[in-house]
């Protein structure tokens, strides 16, 4: 609705996973807990997407430069399992399962199957195109060499094709903490 013909401003959205070491990240929480010898997790099969602050900033800059108005950009980023992250923080800590909190999801979903009808792969990112726009979808597809994702495609942290290893997580924690 914000992308109407009467406005010279283009509105687009970026959607990404947990920003490493941000306020919402579990990493600073685990780093504080490790001195106690116990790391608390809500579910052992929990997965999350991971993005560094630099990757998030680069994505926003990409969207600012490339946006036509109305699209939603989603990065292709790795996932991690919460137990792997806990082991990366300190493999000697006891893991205590405390249960899912109200409203908490076990896995993140950045593109739902209902979004697949308007989702395209443009290389390092997926883009969900608007159903109504002030520009031709076919022009966008040509410009970005966009490939349509399969119908019913979804992009979630559990079924992601790239998972960070414990060593990769250790390196990220060391380089971004």
């Amino acid at each position: 609705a914000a992308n109407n013909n009467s406005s010279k401003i283009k509105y687009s959205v970026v959607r990404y996973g947990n920003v490493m070491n941000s306020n919402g990240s579990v990493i600073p929480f685990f780093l504080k807990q490790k001195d106690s010898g116990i790391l608390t997790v809500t579910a052992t099969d929990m997965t999350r997407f991971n993005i560094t602050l630099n990757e998030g900033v680069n994505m926003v800059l990409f969207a600012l430069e490339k946006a036509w108005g109305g699209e939603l950009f989603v990065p292709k980023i790795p996932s991690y399992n919460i137990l792997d992250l806990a082991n990366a923080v300190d493999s000697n800590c006891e893991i205590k399962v405390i249960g899912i909190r109200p409203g908490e999801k076990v896995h993140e979903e950045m593109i739902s199957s209902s979004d697949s009808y308007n989702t395209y792969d443009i290389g390092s990112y997926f883009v969900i195109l608007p159903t109504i726009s002030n520009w031709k979808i076919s022009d966008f597809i040509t410009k970005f060499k966009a490939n349509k994702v399969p119908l019913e495609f979804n992009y979630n942290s559990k079924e992601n094709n790239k998972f960070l290893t414990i060593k990769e997580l250790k390196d990220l924690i060391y380089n971004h903490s």
Side-chain angles (χ1 to χ4, degrees), residues 2 10 12 15 29 33-34 39 48 56 59 97 115 122 130 132 159 174 177:
K10 293 185 282 186
S12 295
R15 178 186 291 166
F29 180 68
Q33 281 190 326
K34 87 176 195 173
L39 300 179
R48 290 291 181 261
M59 180 189 174
V97 179
D115 289 329
I122 59 169
I132 300 171
E159 297 168 335
Y174 177 78
S177 294

Side-chain angles (χ1 to χ4, degrees), residues 44-101:
T44 58
D45 60 338
M46 183 173 285
T47 61
R48 290 291 181 261
F49 285 106
N50 188 73
I51 191 168
T52 66
L53 181 58
N54 274 353
E55 290 167 334
V57 168
N58 287 338
M59 180 189 174
V60 169
L61 293 174
F62 175 88
L64 280 170
E65 181 181 329
K66 305 295 184 186
W68 287 26
E71 63 272 74
L72 191 152
F73 294 94
V74 179
K76 295 179 183 177
I77 54 178
S79 295
Y80 63 79
N81 176 278
I82 196 71
L83 290 182
D84 289 344
L85 180 64
N87 279 308
V89 168
D90 192 331
S91 60
N92 295 316
C93 285
E94 175 189 340
I95 303 296
K96 181 179 177 186
V97 179
I98 59 172
I100 300 284
R101 297 176 299 212

Side-chain angles (χ1 to χ4, degrees), residues 111-125:
I111 301 174
S112 68
S113 59
S114 61
D115 289 329
S116 69
Y117 296 90
N118 299 319
T119 302
Y120 291 81
D121 184 332
I122 59 169
S124 296
Y125 303 100

Side-chain angles (χ1 to χ4, degrees), residues 135-148:
W135 40 268
K136 288 185 177 179
I137 300 291
S138 59
D139 290 347
F140 185 97
I141 292 166
T142 301
K143 167 85 175 167
F144 291 97
K145 298 178 178 73
N147 294 306
K148 183 81 179 74

